[in-house]
Amino acid sequence: MDLLSFYNNSGFAHMEWINLIMIAVGVIFIYLAVTKDYEPLLLIPIGFGIIVGNIPPIEGMPLSVYAKGSVFSYLYLGVMKGIYPPLIFLGIGAMTDFSTMLSNPKLILLGAAAQIGVFLTFLGSLFLGFTPQQAGAIGIIGGADGPTAIFLSSMLAPELLGPIAIAAYSYMALVPVIQPPIMYLFTTKKERRIHMKPPRQVSKKEKIIFPIVAFLICALIAPGSMTLLGMLFFGNLLKESMVTERLANTARNSLIDIVTILLGFSVGASTQAQTFLTSQSILIFALGAASFVVATMGGVLFAKLMNLFLKDKINPLLGAAGVSAVPDSARVVHAVGLKEDPSNFLLMHAMAPNVAGVIGSAIAAGVLWSALGNF
Amino acid sequence: MDLLSFYNNSGFAHMEWINLIMIAVGVIFIYLAVTKDYEPLLLIPIGFGIIVGNIPPIEGMPLSVYAKGSVFSYLYLGVMKGIYPPLIFLGIGAMTDFSTMLSNPKLILLGAAAQIGVFLTFLGSLFLGFTPQQAGAIGIIGGADGPTAIFLSSMLAPELLGPIAIAAYSYMALVPVIQPPIMYLFTTKKERRIHMKPPRQVSKKEKIIFPIVAFLICALIAPGSMTLLGMLFFGNLLKESMVTERLANTARNSLIDIVTILLGFSVGASTQAQTFLTSQSILIFALGAASFVVATMGGVLFAKLMNLFLKDKINPLLGAAGVSAVPDSARVVHAVGLKEDPSNFLLMHAMAPNVAGVIGSAIAAGVLWSALGNF
Amino acid sequence: MDLLSFYNNSGFAHMEWINLIMIAVGVIFIYLAVTKDYEPLLLIPIGFGIIVGNIPPIEGMPLSVYAKGSVFSYLYLGVMKGIYPPLIFLGIGAMTDFSTMLSNPKLILLGAAAQIGVFLTFLGSLFLGFTPQQAGAIGIIGGADGPTAIFLSSMLAPELLGPIAIAAYSYMALVPVIQPPIMYLFTTKKERRIHMKPPRQVSKKEKIIFPIVAFLICALIAPGSMTLLGMLFFGNLLKESMVTERLANTARNSLIDIVTILLGFSVGASTQAQTFLTSQSILIFALGAASFVVATMGGVLFAKLMNLFLKDKINPLLGAAGVSAVPDSARVVHAVGLKEDPSNFLLMHAMAPNVAGVIGSAIAAGVLWSALGNF
Amino acid sequence: MTFTNIGLHNLNQSGLDALQFSLMGMALVFAGLLIIAIYIALLPLLLKIGTGKPKQAETSDSTNREEEEEILLAIATALHLHNNFPDGDERITWKSHGDMESPWLVSGRMHSLNSRKLANNWNR
Amino acid sequence: MTFTNIGLHNLNQSGLDALQFSLMGMALVFAGLLIIAIYIALLPLLLKIGTGKPKQAETSDSTNREEEEEILLAIATALHLHNNFPDGDERITWKSHGDMESPWLVSGRMHSLNSRKLANNWNR
Amino acid sequence: MTFTNIGLHNLNQSGLDALQFSLMGMALVFAGLLIIAIYIALLPLLLKIGTGKPKQAETSDSTNREEEEEILLAIATALHLHNNFPDGDERITWKSHGDMESPWLVSGRMHSLNSRKLANNWNR
Ligand code: NA
Ligand code: NA
Ligand code: NA
């Protein structure tokens, strides 16, 4: 009980430089969120979680997310068991307006095309020696959808959940940096200037029927997507039915906020440098970046392919919104379009491939899960 | 990994016609909620849950509420362990104003009389060959109170929870259809035109003391009702004490909404046709309907019985509100009263037997539980 | 199934006079909260919980917090596992403004000095024969911080959690009664009249950096404080970052309210007279009172000690706010100051030692936990 | 992971032809979203057919009269409640429309109770 | 369930006389609600007796003066806070009244702090 | 607990010197809060040094022009959205600013998207 034993029980005794690196990463996340407004709702909880997770815990004391019986381990259960992501999807469903998608169904296919990033990254990860389960979980980073990535990792490769989640959210935050160069590279100035027709009005009836039918289609084709899409479309039905406004309101406010806080913090706190900073993690970050690039390419090029057959040309920038990363990639599309032609307003149109991309990657996750899961 | 194996992993391969029937039931629930405004806060979550629960899951994959380790099974835990119903009662308590009941205590007895439906249905279920535990759980459908029915089923007969919950909520939604004929049958035109005296003002002090004393009375008589009524009166104290307004507010908004979403959805999702569509379920629906009819009769006839002794006659329509189904049966009473005499306003008076009926069926549930539970 | 067996199953059969005493205590808690506005957000849930917890449960039926499988036992899990207190700290963090503390860092030391109450009570409890673990948990009552006391008790001495929690909250509610005499005793009229300089403006940048750095300092010195302070400073970062306003809002409203309801109620319901009314509990209450007195003395006397060295004298009343009991002890300081000199406004200045006291007792709890925990 | 295991042979392990699987996966994603797109494109047509028939204006008159009557009753109820129940004394609570803080909301409910009889209020 | 087991004999199985039990159950439900009803009917009388005695107007004067003084102090505090603490700089937060966004709320608290001494504010 | 075990010997049991431990504990509490106090006292100085250097007004001009241009674009977008998308038809939802119920919020986002290039907006 002397000074030495106190020192040995303090964080100073066990702090390693790799923990300091991770703490610096956490601080950078918070800095980016505060000063650059990059996805602050995700980066601040994750960033602070990283800082907390890299304080060296006292040997045997129930402190870290990995310590049996610790409070953080209970909060982390919602990540490990895959409970938080569907609840977030419930809230997102209660926020999402599928109107533009309903008014221009052609744009939905762009959300399918962008999923090429998922499968190419899957193949790349296999090539580099990851197991099929790990490769599937890494591939889904290309879906650009945080909750989907966390859900699939927790089911297929929980040992990689930390790096996959951090990679997914980092790149989602960096969408305004990653996507524009690729969009410029694969489109001509003339293409970027294509104006879209204003969408038609969508009736209440169409909006109410949509979540039910869309759920049935997706769940029958890929039952593995039932958990995420069931909650997404359930939330949307709560919103569109007009008679459950108070439930939709709670789902898209208190509920999603509580889950976002717990999810972000505990994912961040799971990144102890000792298990996080491995060569695997670096590979995952490289694969994740590649996957975002490929997905963006996939969307843009598929739009150009569709234009070969369509009379009313699609602005191929919209393809980039197919990666999802809702709603940031839609905003990036809008911003690039505006740069080229200050009268070209793509934001609302970009929401169609954007939300279709969410559905698309949930289907992809369902397919990967059902084929690769260890049941 | 060929087309055939994909087909075998899809929902198409395992879909049976009984699942399609259940999906149609789910769609009908949603349709009734949207177009007819029947209990939408319950029917929409349950309806969508039924649809989700009847997508054939992939063998061995953790998808359905019954699959170990699935997300839905974790959400369903709150149903199975009986956790959601008391939390809903907390919110209901924080919403309920017991003023009319406090101003006219005679009307409370109507809420007791309607519980005859519970015990007659219990006897009927026994007669038809159900076990005593199952019969108790089926009887409580006559309590016309969703959370109470779910709570008691989860404790006495979890294997029947699905049909009992669906029956209870269906009939609660159909109260405006079921009750009026019985009310007309057992009352004369003159009785239906009886006007009630305006209630007296109730002091703050009475309102604050009420939940404490009422809880003590009920819990001492039937300790089994402690869980539900403890939460109901706790919520009411939060509301009436005036010093915990923020807690009451959260209990009757975010908290009850979150629990309602999870409860409704997971109860719905537990109705897989393969286990749900049995001859037992059909019997339960028949018994449930009978139980609502008997409960309504019980309330109306007891009011007429009381009138034999009272100077200030009670409008016997108020007896129908004793079944609870808060606040729908009170509204039905009001509507029937208005039809007969456009100057007869029964709504507020009907709230007294209405909330008394909630307390009454919670006591009945406590009695059934303590006598029939397998401890 | 006759009248006798019903009587034996009722609460009347098993009610003992010690249960009636506890029920009276619960009623007194509610009475104090309603009529005197003493900490109603805590006393009303705890008070009603005490009433519920002292209804004699039916033998073997899953009713009480201690009965395996009961609903209340699930709600109580959040207490036993120490989950509720950090979530409450998250909400408190999202409410707390550290500005005054940042503008006058000298006052922080008063929050350290008041923790003398914790360690002297620890020694006193040891002297009286409690085990070191129990003594640590009792000592923290002097921290005057409900969630910290519950957290440490659940980790060190769960068998004493009930009495410790009730003692902590009782004395926190009685701060306006306990502190003033001590404050008068140890200060002169002249000292009580010392005016404080108005605090300086604190920049946004300082406020954002503060929770991160303060967390690192505390967690490295006492990693055992990581759970509580991690959440406290996380909540504060959500508030101060300005970009996560919606998360901060949910943390300080819905989330903290839900947890407060569940925590208060289940702590109250854990006070069954049969296990609660022991000689140990009486000792704990005596030690708790002593600990509040010592803590107040510690703060006041340390302020006078500091004045020996400072040019700008500190009003020693501010020392009393160092015990935390946020924000009541700060209000008491303000009220006593106003009594002496109607132009002396100490409220804002008292918030500095007040919130420093929260941090101080969390550090003390971390130190006690890491040294005394059974890992 | 030791990087010793890089190579194309990884794409064909433990019975999984990864390339074929990926093509199949993309096909399923496209299939799902394509069917949704087709459904969306066809729905307005279907709805037009569906609502073509029941557009019979015959019942509207009697319905309107019945409805009007009910509105008058609802207003009467509302006024009655407003006059006889002092503020804050009664809130019927929960379900469908949250707290009923004003008697006008109660009247709204009364009205909607009546309108349950109306068949074609799906479009509201 | 095979429907082969229908019959009155089911009402008397495994030691449970279902009919007697049901009667007892209804009796308990009535007992609970009847006692509540009686309690409610008697409470106003009890409260009248209870408040009959302490209706001594003697303390009201000194209390009022003390209270008034405190109100003045509270207003002074409020003005002081308003002038010396720029907007948004300090929120004392949590407990009892939620966020204290305006100094007037603080003053309200100060006042209620004082009023704790008042014995008969139960009726407010 | 039987009260038979009262005494100073309890302060030195099972290898724990309770007195020394308590002193150490108080020291740690003081250490933590003292370091925080020192940090707080020094931070404004550090921030002054930190912001002393980058106060180069050179980029401000080009930045301002670029920014102004973007503001105009944002306003144009806002007006476009307002005119072409009937109320309630589109809410982009979630993240960063909650529901975007008015096109002005969208424009605010557009603007902040652009301002990501600005280096020294930490102080806003
Ligand atoms: Na996607
Ligand atoms: Na009932
Ligand atoms: Na403290």
Side-chain angles (χ1 to χ4, degrees):
Chain A
M1 213 38 58
D2 50 17
L3 204 61
L4 186 71
S5 84
F6 264 120
Y7 174 76
N8 284 336
N9 268 348
S10 80
F12 297 110
H14 306 279
M15 179 63 90
E16 299 179 37
W17 65 271
I18 50 174
N19 294 115
L20 290 175
I21 289 177
M22 289 305 294
I23 289 173
V25 169
V27 170
I28 291 169
F29 271 41
I30 295 169
Y31 177 86
L32 289 176
V34 171
T35 62
K36 306 221 179 277
D37 204 28
Y38 285 180
E39 300 278 359
L41 298 186
L42 304 165
L43 292 194
I44 286 195
I46 293 179
F48 199 85
I50 293 175
I51 296 172
V52 172
N54 279 283
I55 301 291
I58 296 175
E59 185 75 33
M61 230 176 139
L63 290 172
S64 84
V65 295
Y66 299 116
K68 202 170 163 293
S70 76
V71 172
F72 292 164
S73 77
Y74 290 115
L75 304 184
Y76 192 55
L77 268 186
V79 176
M80 284 308 292
K81 302 292 186 188
I83 297 170
Y84 294 149
L87 293 179
I88 287 189
F89 262 53
L90 179 75
I92 292 179
M95 285 173 180
T96 304
D97 190 321
F98 285 102
S99 297
T100 336
M101 200 172 118
L102 291 171
S103 78
N104 195 352
K106 279 194 303 291
L107 298 179
I108 293 175
L109 295 181
L110 301 177
Q115 308 313 317
I116 186 82
V118 172
F119 290 98
L120 281 186
T121 313
F122 166 68
L123 293 175
S125 309
L126 272 181
F127 176 81
L128 290 173
F130 285 95
T131 70
Q133 284 74 32
Q134 293 175 330
I138 296 169
I140 211 70
I141 298 175
D145 211 58
T148 306
I150 288 173
F151 183 78
L152 192 65
S153 309
S154 69
M155 297 301 161
L156 287 184
E159 71 277 12
L160 298 184
L161 201 154
I164 287 173
I166 302 293
Y169 281 121
S170 306
Y171 292 129
M172 282 168 67
L174 293 173
V175 148
V177 177
I178 297 174
Q179 288 200 316
I182 303 158
M183 291 156 78
Y184 282 110
L185 193 64
F186 289 95
T187 53
T188 65
K189 199 178 185 72
K190 200 181 142 197
E191 284 172 332
R192 291 195 292 275
R193 289 189 163 181
I194 295 175
H195 279 230
M196 302 294 293
K197 277 192 194 160
R200 71 170 177 85
Q201 268 285 41
V202 177
S203 75
K204 276 264 148 275
K205 213 184 288 187
E206 286 173 85
K207 284 191 189 178
I208 297 175
I209 299 174
F210 171 72
I212 301 170
V213 174
F215 170 73
L216 285 171
I217 293 169
C218 297
L220 286 173
I221 286 180
S225 68
M226 188 195 297
T227 310
L228 288 173
L229 290 182
M231 284 300 183
L232 182 78
F233 289 122
F234 176 35
N236 192 244
L237 181 64
L238 290 180
K239 169 177 181 283
E240 298 298 354
S241 75
M242 306 299 286
V243 288
T244 49
E245 192 51 29
R246 63 174 286 168
L247 298 184
N249 207 37
T250 295
R252 74 176 154 242
N253 288 301
S254 315
L255 181 55
I256 199 173
D257 285 347
I258 291 173
V259 177
T260 301
I261 291 171
L262 299 179
L263 174 89
F265 179 81
S266 50
V267 161
S270 74
T271 62
Q272 280 182 6
Q274 284 72 6
T275 61
F276 186 88
L277 284 183
T278 62
S279 57
Q280 274 194 335
S281 297
I282 294 161
L283 267 187
I284 288 171
F285 270 78
L287 285 161
S291 144
F292 264 67
V293 171
V294 170
T296 307
M297 275 172 51
V300 172
L301 292 177
F302 193 79
K304 296 178 71 159
L305 178 69
M306 284 173 74
N307 277 347
L308 298 179
F309 305 95
L310 292 173
K311 223 183 72 186
D312 286 341
K313 303 299 183 197
I314 297 170
N315 186 320
L317 292 176
L318 294 178
V323 301
S324 42
V326 184
D328 282 336
S329 66
R331 286 178 182 140
V332 167
V333 167
H334 182 73
V336 171
L338 269 186
K339 277 265 151 67
E340 213 63 70
D341 173 354
S343 71
N344 196 4
F345 302 100
L346 296 173
L347 185 64
M348 290 306 165
H349 303 284
M351 289 310 292
N354 214 199
V355 293
V358 174
I359 301 172
S361 28
I363 297 177
V367 170
L368 290 165
W369 187 23
S370 69
L372 307 172
N374 313 296
F375 308 124
Chain B
M1 213 38 58
D2 50 17
L3 203 59
L4 185 70
S5 84
F6 265 120
Y7 173 76
N8 283 336
N9 269 347
S10 81
F12 298 110
H14 307 280
M15 179 64 89
E16 298 180 38
W17 65 271
I18 49 175
N19 295 115
L20 290 175
I21 290 177
M22 290 305 296
I23 290 175
V25 169
V27 170
I28 291 170
F29 271 40
I30 295 169
Y31 176 86
L32 289 176
V34 171
T35 62
K36 307 223 180 274
D37 204 28
Y38 285 0
E39 299 278 358
L41 298 187
L42 304 165
L43 291 194
I44 286 197
I46 292 178
F48 200 85
I50 293 175
I51 297 173
V52 171
N54 279 283
I55 300 291
I58 296 175
E59 184 76 33
M61 231 176 138
L63 289 172
S64 84
V65 296
Y66 299 116
K68 202 170 162 292
S70 77
V71 172
F72 292 165
S73 76
Y74 290 115
L75 304 184
Y76 192 56
L77 268 185
V79 176
M80 285 307 292
K81 302 293 186 189
I83 298 170
Y84 294 149
L87 294 179
I88 287 189
F89 262 53
L90 179 76
I92 291 179
M95 284 173 179
T96 304
D97 190 320
F98 286 103
S99 297
T100 336
M101 199 172 119
L102 291 172
S103 77
N104 195 352
K106 278 193 304 291
L107 298 179
I108 293 175
L109 296 181
L110 301 178
Q115 308 313 317
I116 187 81
V118 172
F119 289 98
L120 282 186
T121 314
F122 165 68
L123 293 175
S125 310
L126 272 182
F127 176 81
L128 289 174
F130 286 95
T131 70
Q133 285 72 33
Q134 293 176 330
I138 295 168
I140 210 70
I141 298 175
D145 210 61
T148 305
I150 288 173
F151 184 78
L152 192 64
S153 310
S154 68
M155 296 301 161
L156 287 184
E159 70 278 12
L160 299 183
L161 201 153
I164 288 174
I166 303 293
Y169 281 121
S170 306
Y171 292 129
M172 283 168 66
L174 292 174
V175 148
V177 177
I178 297 175
Q179 289 200 314
I182 304 158
M183 292 156 78
Y184 282 110
L185 194 63
F186 289 96
T187 54
T188 65
K189 198 178 184 73
K190 199 181 142 201
E191 284 172 331
R192 291 196 291 276
R193 287 189 164 181
I194 296 176
H195 279 230
M196 302 293 294
K197 276 193 194 158
R200 70 168 178 85
Q201 267 284 43
V202 177
S203 74
K204 275 265 147 273
K205 215 185 284 188
E206 286 173 84
K207 285 190 189 178
I208 297 175
I209 299 174
F210 171 71
I212 300 170
V213 173
F215 170 73
L216 284 172
I217 293 169
C218 298
L220 286 174
I221 285 179
S225 68
M226 187 194 299
T227 309
L228 288 174
L229 291 181
M231 283 300 182
L232 182 78
F233 290 122
F234 175 36
N236 191 245
L237 180 64
L238 290 180
K239 169 177 180 283
E240 299 298 354
S241 75
M242 308 298 287
V243 288
T244 49
E245 191 52 30
R246 63 174 288 167
L247 298 184
N249 207 38
T250 295
R252 75 177 154 242
N253 288 301
S254 315
L255 182 55
I256 200 173
D257 286 348
I258 291 173
V259 176
T260 301
I261 291 171
L262 299 179
L263 173 90
F265 179 81
S266 50
V267 161
S270 73
T271 63
Q272 281 183 7
Q274 283 73 7
T275 62
F276 186 88
L277 284 183
T278 63
S279 57
Q280 275 195 334
S281 298
I282 293 160
L283 267 188
I284 289 171
F285 269 78
L287 286 161
S291 144
F292 264 66
V293 170
V294 171
T296 307
M297 276 172 49
V300 171
L301 292 178
F302 193 80
K304 295 177 72 159
L305 179 69
M306 285 174 74
N307 278 347
L308 299 180
F309 306 95
L310 291 174
K311 221 183 74 186
D312 286 339
K313 303 297 182 200
I314 298 171
N315 187 320
L317 291 176
L318 294 178
V323 302
S324 40
V326 184
D328 282 336
S329 65
R331 285 178 183 137
V332 167
V333 167
H334 182 74
V336 172
L338 268 187
K339 277 266 152 67
E340 214 62 70
D341 173 355
S343 71
N344 196 3
F345 301 100
L346 297 172
L347 186 64
M348 289 307 166
H349 304 285
M351 289 310 292
N354 215 198
V355 294
V358 174
I359 301 172
S361 29
I363 296 176
V367 170
L368 289 166
W369 187 24
S370 68
L372 307 172
N374 314 296
F375 307 123
Chain C
M1 213 37 58
D2 49 18
L3 203 62
L4 185 70
S5 84
F6 264 119
Y7 173 76
N8 283 335
N9 269 347
S10 80
F12 298 109
H14 307 280
M15 178 65 89
E16 300 179 36
W17 64 271
I18 48 174
N19 294 115
L20 290 174
I21 290 177
M22 289 305 295
I23 289 174
V25 169
V27 171
I28 291 169
F29 271 41
I30 295 169
Y31 177 86
L32 290 176
V34 171
T35 61
K36 307 224 179 274
D37 204 27
Y38 285 178
E39 301 276 358
L41 298 187
L42 304 165
L43 290 195
I44 286 196
I46 293 179
F48 200 84
I50 293 175
I51 296 172
V52 172
N54 279 283
I55 301 291
I58 296 175
E59 184 76 31
M61 232 177 138
L63 289 172
S64 84
V65 296
Y66 300 116
K68 202 170 163 294
S70 76
V71 172
F72 293 164
S73 76
Y74 290 116
L75 304 184
Y76 192 55
L77 268 185
V79 176
M80 284 308 291
K81 302 293 186 188
I83 297 170
Y84 294 150
L87 293 180
I88 287 189
F89 262 53
L90 180 75
I92 292 179
M95 285 173 178
T96 304
D97 191 321
F98 285 103
S99 296
T100 336
M101 198 172 120
L102 292 171
S103 77
N104 194 352
K106 277 193 305 289
L107 299 178
I108 293 175
L109 295 182
L110 301 177
Q115 307 314 317
I116 186 82
V118 172
F119 290 98
L120 281 186
T121 313
F122 166 68
L123 293 174
S125 309
L126 272 182
F127 176 81
L128 290 172
F130 285 95
T131 69
Q133 284 73 32
Q134 292 175 331
I138 296 168
I140 210 70
I141 298 175
D145 210 59
T148 305
I150 288 173
F151 183 78
L152 192 65
S153 309
S154 70
M155 296 301 160
L156 287 184
E159 71 278 13
L160 298 184
L161 202 153
I164 287 174
I166 303 294
Y169 280 121
S170 306
Y171 293 129
M172 283 168 66
L174 292 174
V175 148
V177 177
I178 297 174
Q179 288 200 316
I182 304 159
M183 291 156 78
Y184 282 111
L185 193 64
F186 289 95
T187 53
T188 65
K189 199 178 184 72
K190 200 180 142 200
E191 282 171 331
R192 291 196 292 275
R193 288 188 164 180
I194 296 175
H195 279 230
M196 302 293 294
K197 277 192 194 160
R200 69 168 179 86
Q201 269 284 42
V202 177
S203 73
K204 275 264 149 274
K205 214 184 288 189
E206 285 173 86
K207 286 191 188 178
I208 297 175
I209 299 174
F210 171 72
I212 301 170
V213 173
F215 169 73
L216 285 171
I217 293 169
C218 298
L220 286 173
I221 285 180
S225 68
M226 188 195 297
T227 310
L228 288 173
L229 291 181
M231 283 300 182
L232 181 79
F233 290 122
F234 176 35
N236 191 244
L237 181 64
L238 289 180
K239 169 177 180 283
E240 298 299 353
S241 76
M242 308 299 286
V243 288
T244 50
E245 191 51 30
R246 64 173 287 166
L247 298 184
N249 207 37
T250 296
R252 74 176 153 242
N253 288 301
S254 316
L255 182 55
I256 199 173
D257 285 347
I258 292 172
V259 177
T260 301
I261 291 171
L262 299 179
L263 174 90
F265 179 81
S266 50
V267 162
S270 73
T271 62
Q272 280 182 8
Q274 284 71 7
T275 61
F276 187 87
L277 284 183
T278 63
S279 57
Q280 274 195 334
S281 297
I282 293 161
L283 267 188
I284 289 171
F285 269 77
L287 285 161
S291 145
F292 264 65
V293 170
V294 171
T296 307
M297 276 173 51
V300 172
L301 292 178
F302 193 80
K304 296 178 72 160
L305 178 69
M306 284 173 75
N307 277 347
L308 299 179
F309 305 95
L310 291 173
K311 222 183 75 186
D312 286 341
K313 303 298 183 199
I314 298 171
N315 187 319
L317 293 175
L318 293 179
V323 301
S324 39
V326 183
D328 282 335
S329 65
R331 287 179 182 137
V332 167
V333 167
H334 182 73
V336 172
L338 268 187
K339 277 266 151 68
E340 213 62 70
D341 172 356
S343 70
N344 196 3
F345 302 100
L346 295 172
L347 186 63
M348 291 305 166
H349 304 284
M351 289 310 292
N354 214 199
V355 293
V358 174
I359 301 172
S361 29
I363 296 177
V367 170
L368 289 165
W369 187 23
S370 69
L372 307 171
N374 314 297
F375 308 123
Chain D
M1 216 182 58
T2 52
F3 284 90
T4 58
N5 193 19
I6 295 181
L8 284 174
H9 63 278
N10 289 327
L11 300 188
N12 213 328
Q13 58 176 291
S14 54
L16 176 85
D17 180 344
L19 212 65
Q20 194 190 330
F21 168 77
S22 296
L23 285 172
M24 201 71 80
M26 272 309 280
L28 282 180
V29 171
F30 263 101
L33 289 174
L34 188 63
I35 297 174
I36 290 180
I38 292 169
Y39 152 75
I40 290 174
L42 294 180
L43 183 63
L45 303 176
L46 286 170
L47 289 178
K48 219 173 279 177
I49 297 166
T51 52
K53 264 184 284 182
K55 260 204 175 152
Q56 300 145 322
E58 33 113 4
T59 53
S60 75
D61 216 51
S62 70
T63 304
N64 271 354
R65 250 190 75 199
E66 209 180 315
E67 205 175 336
E68 232 166 76
E69 202 177 285
E70 279 300 317
I71 289 172
L72 288 174
L73 285 184
I75 292 172
T77 310
L79 286 173
H80 166 78
L81 289 173
H82 196 68
N83 292 332
N84 292 306
F85 293 85
D87 51 343
D89 240 17
E90 272 294 343
R91 268 180 286 163
I92 298 185
T93 74
W94 159 256
K95 277 160 197 170
S96 306
H97 297 293
D99 282 5
M100 297 208 163
E101 302 195 305
S102 118
W104 296 102
L105 273 169
V106 178
S107 100
R109 264 313 276 217
M110 288 303 123
H111 178 198
S112 83
L113 194 78
N114 174 260
S115 67
R116 289 180 184 188
K117 283 171 289 180
L118 309 179
N120 56 347
N121 62 345
W122 172 265
N123 281 307
R124 73 216 156 97
Chain E
M1 215 180 60
T2 52
F3 283 90
T4 59
N5 193 20
I6 296 182
L8 284 174
H9 63 279
N10 289 326
L11 300 187
N12 213 328
Q13 57 177 289
S14 54
L16 176 84
D17 179 344
L19 213 66
Q20 192 191 330
F21 168 78
S22 297
L23 287 171
M24 200 71 81
M26 271 310 280
L28 281 180
V29 170
F30 263 101
L33 289 175
L34 188 63
I35 297 175
I36 291 180
I38 293 168
Y39 152 76
I40 290 173
L42 294 180
L43 183 63
L45 304 176
L46 285 170
L47 289 178
K48 221 173 275 175
I49 297 166
T51 52
K53 261 184 286 180
K55 260 204 177 153
Q56 301 145 323
E58 33 111 3
T59 53
S60 76
D61 215 51
S62 69
T63 304
N64 270 356
R65 249 190 76 200
E66 208 178 317
E67 206 175 337
E68 230 168 78
E69 202 176 285
E70 280 301 316
I71 290 172
L72 288 174
L73 286 184
I75 293 172
T77 310
L79 286 174
H80 167 78
L81 289 173
H82 196 68
N83 293 331
N84 292 307
F85 293 85
D87 52 342
D89 239 16
E90 271 294 343
R91 270 183 284 164
I92 299 185
T93 75
W94 156 257
K95 278 161 197 169
S96 308
H97 297 293
D99 281 6
M100 298 208 162
E101 302 192 309
S102 117
W104 295 100
L105 274 169
V106 178
S107 100
R109 265 311 278 214
M110 289 302 125
H111 178 199
S112 82
L113 194 78
N114 174 260
S115 68
R116 288 180 185 188
K117 281 171 291 179
L118 310 179
N120 56 346
N121 61 345
W122 171 266
N123 280 308
R124 72 212 156 102
Chain F
M1 217 184 57
T2 52
F3 284 90
T4 58
N5 194 18
I6 296 182
L8 284 174
H9 63 279
N10 290 326
L11 301 187
N12 214 328
Q13 58 178 288
S14 55
L16 175 85
D17 180 344
L19 212 67
Q20 192 190 333
F21 168 78
S22 296
L23 287 172
M24 200 72 79
M26 271 309 279
L28 281 180
V29 171
F30 263 102
L33 289 175
L34 188 63
I35 297 175
I36 290 180
I38 293 169
Y39 151 75
I40 290 174
L42 294 180
L43 183 64
L45 305 176
L46 286 171
L47 288 177
K48 219 174 276 175
I49 298 165
T51 52
K53 260 185 286 182
K55 259 201 177 156
Q56 299 145 324
E58 33 113 4
T59 53
S60 77
D61 215 51
S62 70
T63 303
N64 271 355
R65 250 190 76 199
E66 209 178 315
E67 204 175 337
E68 231 167 76
E69 203 176 284
E70 280 300 316
I71 289 172
L72 288 174
L73 286 183
I75 293 172
T77 309
L79 286 174
H80 166 78
L81 289 173
H82 197 68
N83 293 332
N84 292 306
F85 292 86
D87 51 343
D89 239 17
E90 273 293 344
R91 268 182 286 163
I92 299 187
T93 75
W94 155 257
K95 278 158 196 172
S96 308
H97 297 293
D99 280 5
M100 297 210 163
E101 302 194 307
S102 118
W104 295 101
L105 273 170
V106 178
S107 102
R109 263 311 277 215
M110 289 302 125
H111 179 199
S112 82
L113 194 78
N114 173 261
S115 67
R116 288 179 184 191
K117 283 170 289 179
L118 309 179
N120 55 349
N121 61 347
W122 172 266
N123 280 307
R124 71 219 159 95

